[in-house]
Amino acid sequence: MRKAWSIVTVVASLGGGFGAGIWGESPSDSAGSLPTEVAVTFRGRSSSLNERSDSEAFARAFGILAFANFAGARERLDELLVAHKRLPEMRMYSDPLESERILEEIERILSLASETELVDFITSRKFDYRSYSIADIAYGALARHSPKRAADLWLVERGRTEDPAGLFPVLGEWVKQDPAAADAWVGAIPDENAKGRAREAFLCHLAGSNPQAVIARLDEIDPENGNGVAMVLGAMVAPASLPGLADRFLESRPGGGFVLTAFLDAWGEREPEAMLAWVLAQDSEAISADVLKGSLGAVAFADPARFLDTISTRLPSNPALLECAARSWWAWLGQDGGEVAAIQWLGENGGLVLGFERTFGFEVYMDSDSWDGEKTQRLLAALAELPDSPAKSSISERMLVGLSRKSPELILGYALERLPLGPQTDMMIAQALGNWASEAPETAVRWSLDHLENEGARLQALRWSIARWGEKDGQSAADFSMSLPERERNAALWELGSAWARKQPEETIGYLSSASDPAAVSSMSKAAFREFAENKGAAEYFDKALAMPPGRMQHDAVRGLFGGWALSEKDAAAAAIERVPAGSLQDASILGFNEYAAREDPRKAMELAGQISVPAAREKELIFRARGWLKQNRNEAQAAIRSHPSLTEAMKEEIFK
């Protein structure tokens, strides 16, 4: 079902505020004809008190509070304002019903206020972005008493608080009552920024009631910020005038910009085929990629098969259109029953779709409740029928990783049976197992060990899966990892060290401190303390690293710490090496630092390598870092190496041979 376009729905899409319902009323419903007494209820229902037969006691028993005037409702209003302020920010957007219920009751209470009471309410507070909807309600109520007073107050308050909210409903009311007066007020605003905001709001409302008047003033629309006006025109203008208006918007700014995008989007909701025909008739370089991607969504998603057939011949020469096609194809794949037809289209048009896998889209549909195991099986069966091709390979990887969150065993079985051996398949399997591990970590890890014969693929999959397991239950993941063969154990514990330290640092340290075999958890120790230093503050964990049990555990903790510290604060890390006790621990700090800082600062790495206390280890590190420096910048390195005080002639000969 398509939108029933009106000024109210367009304003709502622009984020105009909760009070859109008031702005859409007819002039006869404004302040002059309000009933003298209004019942205000928490459930958002109102009636004349004279028409109510239930008593106040009955109303209170059912949680319905009635007020005869604004003064009597102030206590309730304050409660509502506090309740709205306390709403979790994300909940206001993800679950707006509670917010709307509160706002509706605020709106009805403010409808009881006199002009003076509304002015006092507005001037007594500073609105922020979370309370802009309340500002819109208050200014809208004031505008029904006097739009000019509301507009003048907005101008004063904007200068005092810099709050932008409230103007849109004011001008909406004023345009209904006296558009000429509203126009004159806007033209007299001295501040250019405020005038620009007011001009767009005025034209937006005027376009909803008199679009021809706005078309006559099309040059006044801001090409950068006039998307609201353009959207209203696209929704309200007679269909015969739409192509000509689109031409004018395209001429107003190279590529079309936001204004053309908004106009085409609204036009496409009304006449998708006509809008698409206009777009395709333009020179491919005339319309920007952003306009294409922003305006063709509704058309591309409404009927993907038809859209793709219409534009398929243009895809090779138009990268932006290719991205629109990719999004449309992913949407087609996600439609109930559309997966087989979409896969068949892929087989017939494989040469056109390279790049589809880089476009966001599939995850949106795959996460829907309608996508089940049967749909996955149909998709895999259709995919198996296609001949191998680069397009099939690239899209399969993206698709299968996403689907592994829904049907991991189906996807992994298909991958082992159908996909070619190689690093890309290994990576796909590892990511799929990682997704599976988010829900069933131990099952995913055991599956990787039982089914993957290639060592590289097995280790990669193990790393992904054990990391997800560690985020959920580090202790169990660690215990399981310790039961693995040495190579798998070291790979698993390295990933686990980072993941567990990221989620539960104290538990990670506790596990390491009590480990009966420090050598066995060496990779975990280094990874955990590298994570601490890089992302949680190296200085905070410096003493904790030194406090680890003496010996191998302490050595690995210090080495990991300085590796992460070199990544986050290289200069501070280099300076902190002097604070580490001389000997093997300071050697560990140097080796850890050099591991991650040598490429960026090879001179410092060579200097520190010369301070290692064990001769054999010092010689090995000096030669290794010198050779790396030569590969990185031979001209700079040669002179420094030849004059380095810690290098013997034999070592220099070894470095340069």
Side-chain angles (χ1 to χ4, degrees), residues 445 461-470 477 480-481 492 495-496:
V445 170
L462 179 62
R463 293 187 189 100
W464 279 74
S465 303
I466 209 75
R468 297 294 179 89
W469 192 356
F480 179 85
S481 299
E495 294 300 327
L496 176 60

Side-chain angles (χ1 to χ4, degrees), residues 306-338:
R306 187 167 186 173
F307 176 74
L308 289 167
D309 285 341
T310 301
I311 67 169
S312 59
T313 58
R314 302 170 183 265
L315 296 182
S317 60
N318 195 324
L321 203 56
L322 180 68
E323 184 169 341
C324 296
R327 293 180 179 181
S328 180
W329 186 83
W330 288 115
W332 189 7
L333 195 75
Q335 288 180 352
D336 189 21

